């Protein structure tokens, strides 16, 4: 039988069988332990049921991973939904673009969710238009009014990470999607002997045939180890014009023959070019340090 690891507590792996069967509490097969093959939350595994009545099983192998994030430690993630709001707090556009860059280089699809649309519909639509133009899917929600728009459809059959600045309503959205998220618990496992060493595993929550990764505080991301010149790939809106700039190392700031600058305010939002320029500088700095 095949299933997905949704939670890990100490040596116990909680596996949801693929065909909607109940959840099984599993131990690892001896050979996996010997080879130090430890499953991650998100892993698809083969399992053998050892006791149906008490929902106990054994994980016999781990299927190849599509990808693997380090923090949170989770595998087989499909997409990241970046939650923002029109006000209270005002959107942090630089943070959104930064997370989009991180997502691109992790191979994840980036989607923008504008929550709190009840506070300012006009500003909400401005954000929708900004990110649609940049090439991203967007969704408008109001957790306060139980309005999820297409969010549930977007989550269907996917493993999704929620990100975004503090106060935009990530927890509220989770609770609107499934009130059981209220029961979110910190599970801390103490390693025998040291007493101080603690591990915090993330958890997957079931939503609409898909899963949401529970990652409190997942926010600021170190930039990936890429050359500044690779950054353009994470900005499809700018890249479309940058390929025609006169100089192929154009920084789109003051060079003659730049095809990006004339698009600002039109096909390219000013905030997107600002983000690009700032992140480019940061990558140049990062490269200089090594
Ligand atoms: N008006 C309005 N307020 C909302 C909405 N969603 C959440 N809020 C409020 O916004 C505040 C922050 O919501 P949270 O869900 O805690 O935000 P968060 O993103 O989880 O914040 P962190 O846990 O700090 O990352 C709370 O007071 C919510 O009641 C919404 O759709 N509309
Ligand atoms: Zn240019």
């Amino acid at each position: 039988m095949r299933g997905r690891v949704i939670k890990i507590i100490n040596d116990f792996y909680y596996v949801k069988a693929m065909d909607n069967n109940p959840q099984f509490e599993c131990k690892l097969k001896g050979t996996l332990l010997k080879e130090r093959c430890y499953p991650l939350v998100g892993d698809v595994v083969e399992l053998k049921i050892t006791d149906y009545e008490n929902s106990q099983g054994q994980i016999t192998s781990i299927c190849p991973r599509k990808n693997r994030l380090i923090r949170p430690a989770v595998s087989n993630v499909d997409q990241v939904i970046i939650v923002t709001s029109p006000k209270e707090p005002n959107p942090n556009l630089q943070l959104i673009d930064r997370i989009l860059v991180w997502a691109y280089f992790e191979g994840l699809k980036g989607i923008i969710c504008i929550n709190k649309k009840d506070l300012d519909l006009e500003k909400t639509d401005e954000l929708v238009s900004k990110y649609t133009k940049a090439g991203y899917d967007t969704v408008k929600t109001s957790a306060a009014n139980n309005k999820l728009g297409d969010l549930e459809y977007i989550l269907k059959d996917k493993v999704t990470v929620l990100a975004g600045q503090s106060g935009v309503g990530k927890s509220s959205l989770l609770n609107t999607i499934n009130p059981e998220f209220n029961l979110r618990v910190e599970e801390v496992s103490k390693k025998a002997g040291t007493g101080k060493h603690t591990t915090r595993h993330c958890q997957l929550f079931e939503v609409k045939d898909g899963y949401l990764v529970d990652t409190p505080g997942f926010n600021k991301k170190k930039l990936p180890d890429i050359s500044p010149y690779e950054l353009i790939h994470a900005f499809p809106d700018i890249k479309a014009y940058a390929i025609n700039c006169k100089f192929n190392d154009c920084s789109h700031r003051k060079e003659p023959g730049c095809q990006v600058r004339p698009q600002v305010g039109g096909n390219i939002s000013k905030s997107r070019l600002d983000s690009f320029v700032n992140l480019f500088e940061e990558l140049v700095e990062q490269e200089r340090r090594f």
Side-chain angles (χ1 to χ4, degrees):
M1 190 185 283
R2 199 165 262 215
R4 191 184 294 270
V5 177
I6 60 164
K7 184 164 80 168
I8 305 172
I9 302 175
N10 299 325
D11 299 337
F12 289 103
Y13 294 80
Y14 295 84
V15 180
K16 192 88 193 167
M18 285 296 185
D19 39 6
N20 265 337
N21 276 324
Q23 184 175 305
F24 293 95
E25 187 183 67
C26 300
K27 286 268 195 179
L28 284 191
K29 194 182 168 183
T31 48
L32 289 179
L33 278 172
K34 218 177 279 166
E35 290 163 17
R36 292 172 182 265
C37 289
Y38 300 112
L40 291 172
V41 168
D43 272 347
V44 176
V45 295
E46 288 290 342
L47 69 153
K48 200 173 81 186
I49 310 305
T50 51
D51 178 351
Y52 253 108
E53 229 159 77
N54 296 307
S55 306
Q56 307 275 312
Q58 189 184 49
I59 294 177
T60 54
S61 69
I62 306 170
C63 301
R65 291 172 182 144
K66 198 161 75 179
N67 58 24
R68 150 183 205 171
L69 305 184
I70 306 293
R71 221 169 285 124
V74 56
S75 66
N76 299 319
V77 177
D78 296 299
Q79 56 189 15
V80 52
I81 295 184
I82 305 167
V83 184
T84 183
S85 52
K87 53 156 95 158
E88 299 171 32
N90 285 332
N92 182 340
L93 301 176
Q94 302 260 320
L95 178 66
I96 295 172
D97 292 335
R98 192 184 185 87
I99 299 173
L100 283 172
V101 168
W102 170 81
Y104 175 85
F105 286 99
E106 291 286 357
L108 310 177
K109 181 177 171 153
I111 297 164
I112 311 293
C113 170
I114 301 116
N115 186 41
K116 306 200 189 186
K117 66 171 182 178
D118 54 290
L119 292 183
D120 193 331
L121 207 47
E122 201 177 316
K123 269 195 165 178
T124 299
D125 285 334
E126 275 171 30
L127 287 164
V128 166
S129 135
K130 181 192 289 291
Y131 282 97
T132 307
K133 210 165 63 181
Y136 298 95
D137 287 348
T138 61
V139 56
K140 299 187 270 190
T141 59
S142 169
N145 296 331
N146 265 319
K147 294 220 165 76
L148 293 174
D150 290 334
L151 188 59
E152 291 186 287
Y153 170 76
I154 290 170
L155 296 173
K156 195 171 157 26
D157 299 327
K158 304 275 194 241
V159 177
T160 305
V161 172
L162 276 193
Q165 75 198 95
S166 183
V168 292
K170 297 179 296 295
S171 311
S172 307
L173 281 172
L174 290 174
N175 289 329
T176 306
I177 294 164
N178 182 348
E180 279 173 34
F181 287 126
N182 259 326
L183 303 174
R184 174 197 280 223
V185 243
E186 281 242 329
E187 270 130 11
V188 173
S189 76
K190 283 207 168 67
K191 250 195 181 169
T194 67
K196 275 183 204 143
H197 189 106
T198 55
T199 345
R200 164 92 169 84
H201 290 290
C202 64
Q203 247 188 77
L204 294 187
F205 283 104
E206 282 189 276
V207 287
K208 297 284 154 196
D209 304 321
Y211 291 100
L212 261 174
V213 185
D214 165 44
T215 51
F218 167 77
N219 226 329
K220 289 200 192 69
K221 280 284 143 201
K222 188 185 158 292
L223 283 176
D225 275 327
I226 53 164
S227 129
Y229 291 99
E230 289 174 83
L231 180 66
I232 191 76
H233 301 302
F235 282 82
D237 42 348
I238 299 177
K239 187 180 174 182
Y241 298 93
I243 48 175
N244 295 319
C245 288
K246 185 170 170 202
F247 301 109
N248 57 18
D249 62 349
C250 183
S251 69
H252 321 303
R253 274 180 290 186
K254 42 187 182 292
E255 292 89 339
C258 176
Q259 301 300 312
V260 169
R261 266 194 339 269
Q263 300 297 333
V264 172
N267 291 319
I268 299 173
S269 309
K270 181 172 182 305
S271 71
R272 290 280 293 165
L273 185 59
D274 288 346
S275 289
F276 176 82
V277 167
N278 290 338
L279 291 168
F280 188 91
E281 290 277 301
E282 204 176 315
L283 286 169
V284 169
E285 217 14 70
Q286 184 171 294
E287 208 175 45
R288 203 175 288 152
R289 277 199 303 265
F290 286 103

